[in-house]
Amino acid sequence: MTNKAISDFKLGVLGGGQLGKMLTLAGSQWGLRTAILDAGQDMPAAPVCQEFVQGDFRDFETVYRFGKTVDLLTIEIEQINIDALEKLEKEGVRVFPSPANLRVIQDKAVQTQFLIDQKIPKPDYLTFSSPAEIRQAIDAGKVRFPFVQKLRKFGYDGRGVRVIRSEKELPQLLEGETMTEDCVAIDKELSVIVARNSSGEVAAYPAVEMVFNPDANLVDYLVCPAEITPAIEKEAEMLAKKIAGALNLIGILAVEMFLDKQGKLWVNELAPRPHNSGHQTIESSFTSQYEQHLRAILNFPLGSTATKMPSVMINLLGEAGFSGPAVYEGLKECLAIEGVKIHIYGKKETRPFRKMGHITVLDFKRERALEKAKRVRQTIKVKA
Ligand code: ADP
């Protein structure tokens, strides 16, 4: 794309959630026009994009028709109709990440096999079509407690994942096409976001550390930089870059990893799009993950991934026990704290643990950012 054409350029995005919203905002800085396809009426991206098309991004015809109206198509969610993207690509529409990458990533068993083929450290896995088959495999000694069971497709935010520790927990097994994998004794959960453009330029952000909310199985807060040794940091970066290269990726890729109690890194899963673990890049990095994704898919030079300042990112989740029109408590108190950046996604209705926004807390000192984040966590509440 020439620089001159940028304001005439129409970017299509499948999905109009918070990631679509922030991607659109990054594009508007360059005057990009963005069209979004999503089934929901009150999607976070709707008020900020130039065109909002209501429709199901899992439906072939809907995605195909939408794709024909844009110059380049990208995604904010992987659970979209890949058949339509393949047809669009064959007909000359640029689709990034590529449908071939999406085929590998959408099915967790295919993704796992791909990583194993690339000699990326991954726990052993098996695939199953029903809980009965898993019980048989346990009886035959092929699956041992504790293990993790995952839906092969369409799981997100921890829904679709079960950690099964003993016989007693077997009634919790998920139905349908699933995979099991060995349980990793996790010390830290890390994420590295890596970008690659079609010229083959690759850049990775420093690893961030994700701390989970055990009730919601969602990231509770995320700390940048991660507290890891330089050797682990280097290895995490190398793994992320190796995967991006092996995929021939164009765009950004979040590589979720586990650091186990022995100090070994394992790759958990991949997401070829802007990711929850990269929100803090908006304020704490030279280049936000959203701008970086646009640079990658438009084949511009990649931006610096250097960190300007340590940060803690807090997901603003709907408070347990409240459903209905959202009310934000404690906003003023939090805004009074230096370095607190509040993002409200604009979802009208709150539900327990629904992602309603996020807050990035900045400080020159990592420890002070953590202290401020703790105060913010106790003060801000989303109720109805
Ligand atoms: P989702 O796609 O829904 O985010 P993940 O595969 O990331 O699902 O799993 C959600 C969480 O489950 C992880 O963040 C981790 O805490 C736990 N988990 C997943 N796989 C394993 C594993 N092999 N060993 C231990 N814990 C795991």
Side-chain angles (χ1 to χ4, degrees):
M1 189 177 70
T2 64
N3 299 343
K4 201 168 145 228
I6 197 158
S7 55
D8 298 329
F9 193 86
K10 187 154 111 186
L11 175 73
V13 184
L14 301 181
Q18 57 268 19
L19 300 170
K21 175 183 177 181
M22 290 181 269
L23 189 62
T24 301
L25 290 173
S28 74
Q29 203 172 327
W30 290 342
L32 278 184
R33 288 181 302 134
T34 306
I36 302 249
L37 175 72
D38 202 306
Q41 281 175 314
D42 298 325
M43 296 307 291
V48 298
C49 66
Q50 279 67 48
E51 220 178 283
F52 189 79
V53 178
Q54 217 181 334
D56 185 353
F57 45 62
R58 289 165 303 185
D59 177 66
F60 180 92
E61 272 305 311
T62 309
V63 171
Y64 179 72
R65 264 187 274 119
F66 177 75
K68 282 290 193 190
T69 68
V70 301
D71 295 302
L72 193 157
L73 197 53
T74 190
I75 58 160
E76 64 130 36
I77 183 166
E78 301 87 293
Q79 318 305 352
I80 34 75
N81 191 297
I82 302 178
D83 292 338
L85 296 183
E86 277 169 347
K87 188 166 159 67
L88 287 163
E89 189 183 51
K90 268 198 205 111
E91 292 174 8
V93 178
R94 281 178 291 166
V95 182
F96 301 129
S98 69
N101 280 175
L102 287 164
R103 280 264 177 245
V104 170
I105 290 170
Q106 198 181 65
D107 182 329
K108 285 192 181 185
V110 177
Q111 184 187 131
T112 301
Q113 190 54 52
F114 169 81
L115 292 169
I116 290 171
D117 291 345
Q118 300 302 321
K119 310 227 170 349
I120 300 292
K122 239 346 245 171
D124 281 337
Y125 80 106
L126 288 169
T127 56
F128 297 97
S129 297
S130 68
E133 278 185 10
I134 299 180
R135 284 170 186 268
Q136 280 167 13
I138 294 169
D139 292 342
K142 289 183 191 148
V143 172
R144 275 182 222 99
F145 298 111
F147 65 89
V148 183
Q149 184 202 18
K150 299 182 179 185
L151 283 182
R152 289 179 60 170
K153 285 189 180 176
F154 306 123
Y156 68 100
D157 284 350
R159 278 167 259 198
V161 176
R162 293 275 189 283
V163 181
I164 306 286
R165 291 185 188 80
S166 67
E167 187 99 28
K168 245 188 13 228
E169 293 180 349
L170 287 178
Q172 294 172 22
L173 282 174
L174 298 159
E175 298 286 339
E177 295 296 324
T178 65
M179 58 175 268
T180 62
E181 65 181 24
D182 293 347
C183 218
V184 175
I186 300 173
D187 180 28
K188 286 179 192 293
E189 298 204 26
L190 306 172
S191 172
V192 174
I193 292 179
V194 60
R196 190 174 171 281
N197 64 17
S198 52
S199 304
E201 193 189 348
V202 186
Y205 286 89
V208 297
E209 198 170 325
M210 302 183 282
V211 181
F212 281 77
N213 173 334
D215 297 330
N217 207 8
L218 279 172
V219 175
D220 212 9
Y221 62 94
L222 185 147
V223 193
C224 172
E227 211 166 32
I228 50 175
T229 63
I232 297 289
E233 176 76 53
K234 210 166 146 202
E235 194 188 336
E237 179 184 331
M238 184 275 292
L239 284 173
K241 285 183 170 172
K242 183 173 171 188
I243 296 167
L247 284 168
N248 260 323
L249 176 91
I250 295 175
I252 60 172
L253 179 76
V255 183
E256 292 184 31
M257 302 182 198
F258 301 137
L259 179 63
D260 77 10
K261 300 215 158 102
Q262 265 78 51
K264 181 177 159 68
L265 276 179
W266 301 85
V267 170
N268 176 31
E269 63 166 356
L270 311 176
R273 54 169 168 80
H275 192 253
N276 189 71
S277 66
H279 287 335
Q280 79 294 341
T281 57
I282 295 175
E283 290 98 356
S284 81
S285 304
F286 275 76
T287 311
S288 80
Q289 65 164 345
Y290 303 98
E291 180 183 333
Q292 193 76 313
H293 184 63
L294 295 173
R295 283 172 178 258
I297 63 179
L298 296 169
N299 200 24
F300 284 157
L302 298 179
S304 163
T305 54
T307 304
K308 290 194 280 195
M309 204 183 285
S311 64
V312 178
M313 192 285 291
I314 308 166
N315 275 322
L316 190 51
L317 305 179
E319 199 66 12
F322 294 89
S323 292
V327 179
Y328 298 85
E329 265 183 30
L331 271 185
K332 264 194 189 168
E333 292 85 334
C334 291
L335 284 169
I337 305 170
E338 189 182 73
V340 171
K341 302 287 177 184
I342 299 186
H343 296 251
I344 305 266
Y345 299 150
K347 298 174 187 176
K348 296 210 166 54
E349 302 268 320
T350 181
R351 289 191 298 272
F353 305 118
R354 188 174 193 203
K355 280 184 190 160
M356 300 299 288
H358 76 263
I359 303 163
T360 302
V361 181
L362 302 161
D363 202 287
F364 292 106
K365 291 239 157 54
R366 187 181 186 276
E367 289 316 308
R368 275 223 304 266
L370 274 162
E371 278 164 30
K372 286 194 279 190
K374 206 183 256 175
R375 248 194 298 156
V376 168
R377 280 280 277 120
Q378 286 161 355
T379 309
I380 198 161
K381 303 275 176 229
V382 189
K383 296 186 176 169

